Amino acid sequence: MRFPRKDSTEVLTEALSDIERLEQTIAELLTIARTATRSASELQLGDVFGTTTSDWRNRFAAAGRNLVVSDTRFTPTVVGTDSVLRHAIDVLLDNALVHGAGDVHLSHLVTSDHVTASVADHGPGFTHNPNQTTPGRLREHGFGLPLATRLIESLPGRLVIRSAAEHPRVDIVLRRSDPA
């Protein structure tokens, strides 16, 4: 996004859209937090990636960066909840946009029992603070990593910092609904 911009109507429209999206996110996160048990169901990773792409592509473009998303057409279903997984990926993409560099890759890997969604960028990696049990820029710049971790663990799944050095990668490992 370039500033100052001459068309204040466009800026206002974008701001209202951002506020509406933020209100929806807060409402969904509060619903997730208040629900003692979540009924996990079969989830199409492609649907989540599709929504994520439409939500984030313009933000990356405005920052002069690309969001590269892998093709998920033939990806098996996973056990989970759409909104929970979407919010966890949102946390990771926001972190990559704010603290990373270069293109950001949202990809996946399929094994016989799991599907792993990965967020990677070309940034400097995670810094290490000796007072933290969890290394990473996500935690030191807020509560993103703990939030994403709790969301993923509720699916059930696990969040793994696969690479904390230069060109960091964070994986979300989900159980396939139909193990091969």
Side-chain angles (χ1 to χ4, degrees):
M1 206 174 287
R2 287 171 284 183
F3 293 101
R5 293 182 5 204
K6 294 181 184 206
D7 188 352
S8 60
T9 304
E10 181 182 344
V11 172
L12 182 58
T13 301
E14 288 175 6
L16 290 173
S17 176
D18 286 345
I19 290 170
E20 183 177 314
R21 183 186 50 76
L22 183 58
E23 285 178 337
Q24 179 182 2
T25 299
I26 290 169
E28 287 178 352
L29 287 173
L30 285 172
T31 299
I32 290 167
R34 291 178 180 144
T35 305
T37 58
R38 283 176 248 328
S39 57
S41 59
E42 287 189 2
L43 174 63
Q44 293 288 338
L45 192 62
D47 294 343
V48 175
F49 276 25
T51 302
T52 300
T53 301
S54 66
D55 288 349
W56 284 92
R57 190 151 291 179
N58 289 338
R59 288 183 235 177
F60 278 94
R65 296 171 62 196
N66 293 311
L67 174 61
V68 180
V69 181
S70 67
D71 183 359
T72 57
R73 282 181 288 179
F74 304 108
T75 305
T77 58
V78 296
V79 176
T81 307
D82 179 86
S83 62
V84 173
L85 179 57
R86 191 168 29 83
H87 286 302
I89 292 173
D90 284 349
V91 167
L92 299 178
L93 289 174
D94 181 66
N95 180 264
L97 179 62
V98 173
H99 304 292
D103 291 348
V104 173
H105 297 266
L106 176 59
S107 60
H108 71 287
L109 174 69
V110 177
T111 65
S112 59
D113 294 325
H114 297 91
V115 175
T116 301
S118 300
V119 175
D121 67 67
H122 298 279
F126 298 101
T127 58
H128 179 66
N129 178 338
N131 298 322
Q132 292 177 260
T133 57
T134 305
R137 62 183 179 210
L138 292 166
R139 182 154 180 196
E140 79 174 20
H141 292 288
F143 54 88
L145 182 59
L147 172 61
T149 299
R150 282 191 296 277
L151 288 169
I152 294 305
E153 288 174 349
S154 76
L155 287 177
R158 67 184 186 277
L159 188 135
V160 179
I161 298 176
R162 189 64 62 199
S163 173
E166 191 173 353
H167 304 280
R169 186 178 106 200
V170 179
D171 290 348
I172 298 171
V173 182
L174 302 166
R175 188 171 40 108
R176 285 179 59 163
S177 58
D178 60 343

